[in-house]
Amino acid sequence: MDDWPRLVDCDVHNTMANRLELLPFLPKVWHQQWLEDGFGVGGKPWNAAGLERRDADPPGGGPAGSDPHFLLEHHVQPFGIDVAILTGTPYMNATSLCYDPDYGTALARALNDWMVEKWLSTSPRYRGSIQINFSDPQAAAKEIDRMAGHPGMVQVIMCSVARMPFGQRFYHPIYEAAERNGLPVAIHPGCEGLGMSYPPTPVGYPTRYLEWQNIVPLTYMAHINSLICEGVFERFPSLKFIAIEGGVAWLPQLMWRMDKNYKALRDTVPWMKKLPSEYIREHIRLTTQPIDEPKDPGHLVQIIEMSEAEHMIMFSSDYPHWDNDHPRMTLARFPRPLRARIAAANAVDVYGPRLLGNASVRHAAATDGGGARG
Amino acid sequence: MAKHAVATMDELLQHRFKLVAVNGLEVGIYLVGDELYAWRNVCPHAGAPVCRGRVGGTRLPSGVYEYEYGRDGEILRCPWHGWEFDLRTGDHLVPTGTKLKGYRAEREGNVVYLVV
């Protein structure tokens, strides 16, 4: 079992069949608001392809990703995915953008209990992400402490958009809680411009979804820049930060630019003791989907090499979203042994024992389809 | 190697710095505390006239959101890209291995000599 797991999918989207599913986990006081308004953070430009794969609808009804058994049969088992990290939906990651912070916190709590009861109990291959409302960092820290005891929860997750960059001291209680519980903090895109957030770019609203999707890495670069310069990893030295679905190819440019400016302006961040790129390599992790597609796939490998990022990149499919990546075709773009690192080893390194589970769980997952139906 | 009289101690005690030229070579003479230092007026990073930069102190390595000013009068900041150099060693304060090119400055009475 030493080579287990061989494939970890770091971004699998699970959702509800309908809003009624959350009610058992949500205090009555919020029921009407939830049923009538949902997350209440609005929408983004229209996508001609739809958000979800049309072939991923569960046969029993409900939207793609809403049936934990069908998700195993349709995605996890056929591709030999040993561990699937469930991230919820982009809207679930966006309770932080709700106008009412107490509503956002209540939703995050309910979503976490729903994740445990509906999903983590279904299969030992599933791992969960702890939703938090980062707009109330104290409440978020309490929620991390509440959920960290569940061994299937492998990370804290937040939407990638925010009203101030993630390095700032406002957020530090969240990182303190994550670090003391041994959990990485992940961000996921999809809500740029929604709820109380700013436009998806600092220069305003894109007109079309294509344009919106193109520019998601802006937020990622802004947050990573902030995390490093604000000294988050000096203050929380064992914290890891996972940038899901934000791209890879911009990495060398950000590293080079940050290093260049640090060489000049070190005195404005005297708590930084290393080059920014060194903090990035030690603390930031990226996921593959949507995989950058240069004409020659080797050019992406070169970018990873020039960033010395071979240990930073983790496979993700984004199932069942429209722009998801096929596991085998994506991994085939990378030469060995980099492929094995991206497929599983890097995820094992960053998620550790929570990813691996105990030996019996591992055995069940590896041999019988992970407790899937029947 | 030859010794060139380039300044007086009176000048340096007053200004702590004098830019001098010997056979077309520009050198900044600095008085830091009681010690004389001579650095070539070319930044090894990008060719700037580094000695035209401001001399001051810096924020010393500290904890997050803590500020400790120190080394006043010992740090030269290049006027082009802002790199800070330690006037006592010539080293860039970020350990990039970049270092100012130095010469020997000597004093005899009130006269300061540059040895090049």
Side-chain angles (χ1 to χ4, degrees):
Chain A
M1 301 292 283
D2 286 346
D3 62 344
W4 193 93
R6 280 184 289 185
L7 182 56
V8 177
D9 187 340
C10 292
D11 187 20
V12 175
H13 291 292
N14 59 324
T15 190
M16 295 171 226
N18 57 55
R19 288 179 184 169
L20 297 173
E21 228 176 73
L22 199 62
L23 294 186
F25 309 101
L26 189 66
K28 175 81 175 163
V29 66
W30 304 111
H31 283 198
Q32 183 188 353
Q33 185 169 356
W34 169 247
L35 292 173
E36 292 180 1
D37 199 32
F39 292 99
V41 294
K44 56 198 179 214
W46 173 70
N47 177 356
L51 177 65
E52 289 152 2
R53 280 170 48 176
R54 293 180 64 86
D55 64 304
D57 288 344
S66 64
D67 181 336
H69 299 289
F70 181 69
L71 200 156
L72 287 171
E73 292 166 16
H74 193 232
H75 177 64
V76 174
Q77 290 160 2
F79 290 111
I81 294 165
D82 297 305
V83 179
I85 299 178
L86 303 170
T87 51
T89 66
Y91 284 85
M92 292 181 190
N93 308 148
T95 57
S96 311
L97 305 180
C98 292
Y99 297 103
D100 178 344
D102 296 320
Y103 179 57
T105 295
L107 287 180
R109 283 178 63 96
L111 289 166
N112 292 330
D113 291 332
W114 165 84
M115 172 77 86
V116 167
E117 185 158 323
K118 177 174 176 182
W119 290 85
L120 301 188
S121 65
T122 301
S123 169
R125 297 202 197 200
Y126 286 145
R127 298 292 181 277
S129 306
I130 300 172
Q131 310 286 350
I132 58 165
N133 170 15
F134 64 62
S135 294
D136 185 344
Q138 304 299 335
K142 277 173 66 177
E143 184 62 5
I144 293 168
D145 286 336
R146 186 178 79 91
M147 295 311 300
H150 193 290
M153 289 294 201
V154 296
Q155 65 188 354
V156 175
I157 195 163
M158 323 192 285
C159 63
S160 53
V161 67
R163 279 177 293 162
M164 64 179 113
F166 281 143
Q168 296 191 13
R169 67 198 75 189
F170 174 81
Y171 301 106
H172 290 194
I174 294 169
Y175 305 135
E176 188 177 359
E179 188 186 52
R180 77 169 162 262
N181 288 293
L183 291 164
V185 174
I187 59 171
H188 188 287
C191 291
E192 276 70 4
L194 272 59
M196 288 196 297
S197 67
Y198 295 119
T201 85
V203 292
Y205 288 91
T207 48
R208 293 173 179 82
Y209 184 87
L210 159 74
E211 196 182 333
W212 178 94
Q213 176 88 332
N214 292 340
I215 212 66
V216 160
L218 272 187
T219 23
Y220 281 66
M221 287 187 267
H223 288 312
I224 291 170
N225 184 32
S226 170
L227 287 160
I228 306 302
C229 296
E230 295 274 348
V232 165
F233 302 115
E234 280 292 331
R235 181 165 272 190
F236 309 106
S238 67
L239 183 68
K240 297 284 193 286
F241 193 88
I242 301 170
I244 299 172
E245 203 176 341
V248 170
W250 44 263
L251 195 56
Q253 203 272 339
L254 184 69
M255 286 178 167
W256 294 338
R257 194 171 175 102
M258 289 179 73
D259 283 358
K260 181 181 173 77
N261 287 325
Y262 176 74
K263 288 170 189 172
L265 302 172
R266 174 217 61 85
D267 63 314
T268 58
V269 284
W271 39 84
M272 286 179 64
K273 308 300 194 305
K274 296 181 281 195
L275 290 174
S277 62
E278 295 178 69
Y279 289 104
I280 290 176
R281 286 190 195 94
E282 187 175 341
H283 296 278
I284 305 292
R285 297 294 180 268
L286 310 174
T287 65
T288 52
Q289 182 279 338
I291 191 74
D292 293 306
E293 295 177 349
K295 281 184 199 164
D296 177 352
H299 289 163
L300 178 59
V301 177
Q302 288 178 12
I303 283 178
I304 293 170
E305 287 170 357
M306 68 180 74
S307 311
E308 299 171 55
E310 290 85 350
H311 63 292
M312 292 177 60
I313 320 288
M314 307 189 293
F315 171 75
S316 62
S317 72
D318 193 42
Y319 177 95
H321 288 169
W322 70 285
D323 53 342
N324 72 160
D325 283 339
H326 188 292
R328 282 193 289 275
M329 290 180 69
T330 300
L331 289 165
R333 292 171 164 270
F334 301 102
R336 300 174 202 280
L338 177 60
R339 189 184 303 170
R341 293 202 66 85
I342 291 173
N346 290 341
V348 171
D349 286 346
V350 73
Y351 290 110
R354 287 174 183 267
L355 189 87
L356 298 174
N358 63 44
S360 61
V361 167
R362 225 185 290 183
H363 182 70
T367 56
D368 70 3
R373 188 181 297 166
Chain B
M1 291 279 206
K3 286 170 65 170
H4 305 267
V6 291
T8 65
M9 281 306 292
D10 290 340
E11 288 177 297
L12 285 168
L13 284 166
Q14 187 177 353
H15 302 293
R16 315 301 292 185
F17 163 69
K18 184 179 181 184
L19 186 63
V20 305
V22 173
N23 301 329
L25 174 71
E26 288 193 1
V27 174
I29 311 290
Y30 293 87
L31 182 62
V32 182
D34 295 330
E35 300 293 324
L36 285 169
Y37 299 92
W39 303 110
R40 186 182 176 194
N41 187 27
V42 176
C43 182
H45 164 229
V50 61
C51 297
R52 302 289 296 277
R54 187 190 300 259
V55 173
T58 191
R59 289 167 177 173
L60 305 176
S62 63
V64 177
Y65 301 149
E66 293 171 1
Y67 301 90
E68 190 182 344
Y69 185 79
R71 304 207 61 195
D72 202 18
E74 300 181 18
I75 307 299
L76 171 64
R77 188 188 282 277
C78 183
W80 281 15
H81 302 102
W83 287 30
E84 297 172 294
F85 291 95
D86 183 336
L87 279 174
R88 292 189 183 275
T89 65
D91 289 324
H92 183 200
L93 292 198
V94 177
T96 54
T98 308
K99 190 178 171 79
L100 300 175
K101 177 159 178 56
Y103 300 93
R104 201 159 82 240
E106 297 175 352
R107 85 175 66 163
E108 287 178 16
N110 192 38
V111 182
V112 174
Y113 295 91
L114 179 66
V115 183
V116 292

